[in-house]
Amino acid sequence: MKWLSFSQLPVFARLLPVMAAVLAAPLPVEAELQGLSETEMSSIDGAGIGLVLENFKFSHGTDEPDASGEQARIFRIGGIKSTDGRDVDITVNHLYIAGANSNYGETLGPVNLGRLLNPWKIDVVDGNDIGIANKAVLEFAASAMVNSDQGYDCMDSGAGPGSGTCSSRPASAGYIGERADIGMQMNVAVGDDRSANINIHAKSAVIDGSYLRLWGDKDRRQMVGQFKLNFYSPELSINACAQDGSTCGSRILMSNFALELAIGNQLQPVFFDVDGSGNFVVEVAAIRRPQPGEIGADGLRGSSDADAWDFYESYYTNPEFRSNLKIGNFSVGDRDFGSARVQGMLIQHLNIKTRDLSQ
C-alpha cells in the first residue's frame, strides 16, 4: 500500500478536481423551450432529468494586469506545497469548452452538449437493473452509446450516421455538432520559479458512455460508487511555453486518442471517505479470495462452487470492468513513435489518500 500526496499525483489526476470545480460552478445559460416531434416524444419515459446545453460556450481565466496593476479576472489555485516545502501556485490563464475548430482556444464558437434523443442525465436508478442489488443509485451520465448502425465514429470529425457507436455528432458546414474543443493554459509556480507554463488541448472531444454512480454502503457507512470515463479525441496535445507565450517547446501530440477508464464496478466498487485527520480517501478494495474448496483444483465450474466460480468468472472476463488506452500515433516535436495501446487493464486494488504536507 502506498500513500500519495496531492503533489505526487499525476498531472491529469491533479487537474480533475479543477475541472470538476469549474463544471460544478453555476454558469449563466440561455435556453428556450423547444417543440418535440411525435417520434421524439415516444422515446421519452419521464424518468430522471435530461440535460441538453445548446449553443454552449465556456471561457474563463486570468487577465493580464492593466496599467494600475489590477486584474478583472483571476483564476488561481493555492494552498499547495512542494515536497521541499515551497509554495505552489497554479494560475489558470485560460480554460475553455467550445465548438470544434477553435484553433487551440483562439477562436471560440458554440457547441451543443447532449441531444434531445440522448441527453445527459441525472437520475435515481434501480440498482437491480444495473447489477447493484437492492440499492437506489444516483447516476450522472453523459449521452449513452448507441448501436453502430445508428451512431457515429467516435474519432472521425467527418463521420456520418451508421459509422460508429457514439451518439454525439461531429460539426459540419451547417451544424455545430455535440463535440467540444477543450483546453487549458496554466502557469505552475514553485516558489519563485514561474517558468512552467503548460498548455493542454483536445480537439472535437467526446465523452459518450461516461457516468458516475453513487450509493451508500450500510456495513462500512461510506459513500460507494462506480466511475466510467470515456474520452475520445482525434487530437490531444500538450506543450510548454514561455510565460509570455513567445516561444514554446516541443509539442507532445497524440492523434486518435481513446481512453476508456473504469474505476469501481458492481463486484468491486470504489469507496469515498474522509479520515479522522480530514484527508480524503479513495479506495478500491481488493477482491475477496476464494475460500478453501470454492474453486476446484482443475479450475473448472463443474468441480467448483457454482456461485463462487460465476463470481470470479464475471470479475475477470467482463470487459466493462477493464480500462483501455489507445493512441493512434504518438509524436514529440518532429519525432514519431508510432501507435501505443494498453488493453484490458483491471484495477484490482487502489488506495489514494491526500496528505497535508505542511503538518
Side-chain angles (χ1 to χ4, degrees), residues 34-299:
Q34 296 284 342
L36 299 178
S37 68
E38 292 294 332
T39 301
E40 292 171 329
M41 291 181 66
S42 66
S43 64
I44 296 174
D45 57 15
I49 299 173
L51 182 64
V52 177
L53 302 179
E54 295 185 325
N55 295 313
F56 178 87
K57 180 172 64 176
F58 176 84
S59 177
H60 188 49
T62 299
D63 294 331
E64 292 289 336
D66 59 19
S68 61
E70 297 294 326
Q71 293 172 285
R73 301 183 306 167
I74 298 177
F75 188 172
R76 183 171 294 137
I77 302 168
I80 307 172
K81 288 188 177 292
S82 65
T83 53
D84 58 4
R86 291 182 293 171
D87 290 328
V88 177
D89 176 276
I90 301 174
T91 300
V92 180
N93 299 316
H94 192 198
L95 171 65
Y96 67 88
I97 304 172
N101 305 313
S102 68
N103 188 26
Y104 300 100
E106 295 294 326
T107 307
L108 300 184
V111 66
N112 295 336
L113 300 179
R115 299 179 58 180
L116 291 176
L117 290 176
N118 196 347
W120 292 12
K121 294 181 180 179
I122 303 173
D123 198 2
V124 177
V125 299
D126 185 346
N128 293 312
D129 295 336
I130 54 175
I132 304 169
N134 304 319
K135 294 289 185 180
V137 179
L138 178 62
E139 181 180 69
F140 303 87
S143 297
M145 290 293 199
V146 297
N147 293 330
S148 58
D149 59 344
Q150 300 174 345
Y152 296 77
D153 184 272
C154 298
M155 294 291 186
D156 187 357
S157 57
S163 59
T165 58
C166 277
S167 173
S168 297
R169 295 165 290 186
S172 63
Y175 183 64
I176 60 177
E178 294 98 24
R179 304 186 179 192
D181 280 9
I182 304 172
M184 176 183 287
Q185 302 170 1
M186 61 183 176
N187 174 262
V188 181
V190 180
D192 296 328
D193 182 5
R194 303 197 68 92
S195 60
N197 290 274
I198 302 173
N199 303 323
I200 304 172
H201 301 282
K203 291 184 176 182
S204 195
V206 181
I207 61 169
D208 289 3
S210 301
Y211 59 78
L212 173 64
R213 294 171 176 165
L214 300 171
W215 66 96
D217 184 276
K218 182 175 63 175
D219 297 329
R220 292 184 51 154
R221 295 179 177 272
Q222 291 179 343
M223 184 170 67
V224 190
Q226 295 178 19
F227 177 59
K228 177 75 171 182
L229 173 63
N230 292 336
F231 187 87
Y232 307 99
S233 173
E235 181 185 305
L236 177 65
S237 63
I238 304 171
N239 70 335
C241 298
Q243 190 168 357
D244 60 2
S246 57
T247 57
C248 294
S250 297
R251 183 186 297 272
I252 299 173
L253 184 64
M254 291 168 278
S255 61
N256 291 335
F257 179 90
L259 173 65
E260 298 165 342
L261 176 65
I263 301 180
N265 54 66
Q266 297 95 315
L267 305 179
Q268 190 185 30
V270 56
F271 292 89
F272 303 95
D273 198 12
V274 177
D275 68 8
S277 59
N279 291 303
F280 188 59
V281 180
V282 178
E283 179 187 9
V284 177
I287 203 77
R288 72 171 183 86
R289 292 180 178 272
Q291 298 298 312
E294 282 191 325
I295 304 298
D298 58 5

